[in-house]
Amino acid sequence: MDISKATVLVAGMGVSGRSACEVLAGRAAHVVTVDEGKSDADYHSFADVDFRGIDLVMSSPVFNPRTPFIVKAQSLGIPVVSEVELGWMLRVPSGQSQQPAPWIGITGTNGKTSTTQMVSAMLTGAGETAPAVGNIGKAVSHAAVDPSNQTLCVELSSFQLHFTQSLSLECAAITNLADDHLDWHGGFANYAADKAKVYRGVQRALVYNADDSRVSELAAAAHPAPGCKRVGFTLGAPQAGEIGVQDGWIIDRSGLDATGDDTAGDDTAARSLAAVSDFSHLCEPDGTVYPHLLADALCALALVLGHGIAADRAVEALKAFKPGGHRIQTVARYDTTVDADQRGIAQQTGSAHGGNGHRGESTDRPQADSSNVIRFVDDSKATNAHAAGASLSSFPPHSVVWIAGGLAKGGHFEDLLASYADRLSAAVIIGVDQRPMLDAFASKAPDIPLSIIDPEPKESVMQRAVDAAGTHAHPGSVVLMAPACASMDQFVSYADRGEQFAAQARLWVARRQADPHGQE
């Protein structure tokens, strides 16, 4: 389509919609906006739009494929695209090349953000201008028309991919697959099919989770470009064509060499890239590895090697990487063995965003014996059952006081509890609709003590949740907020939920500092 002659309808004036309008200004013949809740939109009802004059619809991810205006547009033969597709259509040559900047795309149920940020950090460490964009950071359409970008590291949601058709990535990965957003997609098969779009025509490295059978099946069935190399990542010992872990070392058998020449590598040879313990952001202070973060790092390494960055440069940049907020961050600690008068009873973060220490922890004092500490861990980004399971799996049996619940998005939690109830000592249930979580506990973990938080007043939900968790906590406990649900029923966002949790955790610790024997 010749955008310069097109009338484009931008449906939804959120972040992606406003970005699209800015990018289309001066590029499209006409731009028309519609949003029922935004006063500056051209139309406030889709019923007022004359679709006979529309050539292209750019739809916000908030609208599912069954939304009436989308069905109407498609019935009239009008293409409906995502902001990602629009960015791909409008991309301009990089200032470093006569060609547009290549895109490295990451999708999956969980781990997208961490993996995308790791890829960006490694490419930036190697000297490239390679921002993390898309579902995080700057909107992808803005990044696509910025000639200063040499590579785009694009986090892609299933919503964005549904209305994306022509994308052909340089390197692409699916981190994992589990039930999520089934209400939007209308079932898991549709959800998986949209995720699989990242593999269409991928040029250099098709990266897949070899430990996830459904991802492996999509990778095997994909149709990449000729010469593209399929590379698996695994938490076990890697086979030929994989990158994995053996005896505490990251081992590369991908066959991707330092120049990115996929035909030159030898995937029968194994090379050690680094000890897992060298990556502080993948481990607890005592050296315990977070498996899901290690998997994200392996995926990111495979993508960066596929792009052509030398392994030693990639590894050094990854060691210096600092993860984003609300991803399994310790935000407060209470040492139950230290008397309140000694001050130093607790080690807390300097801010709700993680402070300046190791994953949010203060590092200027020695760590207390973990068996004597009550730890508060923010994993608010765990917005579905799969992510919550990965978080729960990181902790010892019977150690977790779990804060769970929220907007279930059509998900169920019986399988989650069947797999990880042994990690729990108690649970605190939040959310407006608590029934899906309560039903799962009744069915699969009826003996776990529960505290149920009244949804109203909403303003005090997190305070009451943390206080309730404190009554269940004992020396060695982890109060873990990995809710397995979206946040929008009671919070502005998962970040807002995480920040409120961190603030209330610090207040709980402060009260114990003042009166360690008091009643909460």
Side-chain angles (χ1 to χ4, degrees), residues 139-508:
V140 70
S141 55
H142 260 303
V145 298
D146 184 345
S148 68
N149 291 326
Q150 295 172 264
T151 303
L152 299 186
C153 308
V154 189
E155 179 185 332
L156 295 164
S157 73
S158 56
F159 307 142
Q160 293 168 320
L161 286 167
H162 181 85
F163 292 113
T164 298
Q165 305 301 333
S166 61
L167 195 63
S168 180
L169 298 163
E170 180 195 60
C171 303
I174 300 178
T175 57
N176 46 61
L177 280 178
D179 290 354
D180 198 20
H181 303 301
L182 303 189
D183 49 352
W184 195 97
H185 290 275
F188 181 80
N190 294 338
Y191 171 69
D194 285 333
K195 291 290 192 185
K197 287 184 177 182
V198 295
Y199 287 154
R200 291 182 184 176
V202 61
Q203 303 293 313
R204 297 182 68 164
L206 184 160
V207 178
Y208 65 96
N209 186 340
D211 296 333
D212 187 314
S213 60
R214 292 189 283 198
V215 174
S216 297
E217 289 172 6
L218 293 180
H223 297 284
C228 178
K229 191 172 186 64
R230 287 177 170 85
V231 178
F233 63 92
T234 173
L235 293 177
Q239 304 298 310
E242 296 179 350
I243 184 169
V245 180
Q246 190 167 2
D247 298 328
W249 286 81
I250 295 176
I251 305 297
D252 177 26
R253 298 187 65 191
S254 67
L256 297 167
D257 77 344
T259 66
D261 180 1
D262 300 338
T263 62
D266 179 4
D267 61 15
T268 65
R271 58 175 173 172
S272 299
L273 298 185
V276 173
S277 58
D278 289 343
F279 300 94
S280 63
H281 60 282
L282 306 180
C283 308
E284 286 271 36
D286 65 2
T288 303
V289 176
Y290 291 127
H292 54 306
L293 292 184
L294 176 56
D296 295 345
L298 297 175
C299 181
L301 278 168
L303 290 165
V304 169
L305 295 177
H307 178 69
I309 300 300
D312 56 347
R313 299 191 71 180
V315 166
E316 287 307 307
L318 185 58
K319 288 178 181 178
F321 171 76
K322 301 296 182 185
H326 313 296
R327 184 65 186 260
I328 206 158
Q329 289 182 303
T330 296
V331 295
R333 299 167 60 91
Y334 177 75
D335 182 354
T336 61
T337 64
V338 180
D339 187 83
D341 292 337
Q342 292 178 280
R343 314 308 301 172
I345 232 177
Q347 294 185 9
Q348 303 176 50
T349 60
S351 73
H353 297 282
N356 299 316
H358 176 67
R359 277 191 320 285
E361 295 186 32
S362 172
T363 57
D364 58 351
R365 285 177 277 182
Q367 296 292 319
D369 181 349
S370 61
S371 65
N372 297 320
V373 170
I374 296 173
R375 200 150 55 93
F376 293 79
V377 175
D378 171 16
D379 203 355
S380 183
K381 207 170 189 307
T383 59
N384 55 55
H386 188 266
S391 190
L392 289 167
S393 72
S394 302
F395 302 102
H398 313 299
S399 67
V400 176
V401 179
W402 184 33
I403 299 179
L407 193 64
K409 302 177 292 182
H412 299 279
F413 308 103
E414 282 77 7
D415 290 346
L416 172 64
L417 281 166
S419 298
Y420 299 108
D422 67 319
R423 307 302 171 108
L424 305 179
S425 63
V428 177
I429 309 303
I430 61 173
V432 172
D433 180 13
Q434 300 170 344
R435 183 48 50 194
M437 190 65 71
L438 293 175
D439 286 348
F441 270 97
S443 172
K444 300 297 181 181
D447 296 330
I448 298 295
L450 298 181
S451 292
I452 300 170
I453 305 303
D454 193 311
E456 295 294 339
K458 184 170 67 174
E459 293 74 16
S460 65
V461 163
M462 191 56 71
Q463 175 191 340
R464 289 181 283 127
V466 170
D467 287 349
T471 66
H472 293 292
H474 53 78
S477 288
V478 174
V479 177
L480 173 67
M481 192 186 63
C485 294
S487 60
M488 286 80 76
D489 59 339
Q490 294 182 309
F491 305 93
V492 174
S493 63
Y494 76 80
D496 173 51
R497 180 171 62 186
E499 287 160 7
Q500 289 197 36
F501 171 76
Q504 292 301 327
R506 291 194 298 273
L507 287 172
W508 187 92

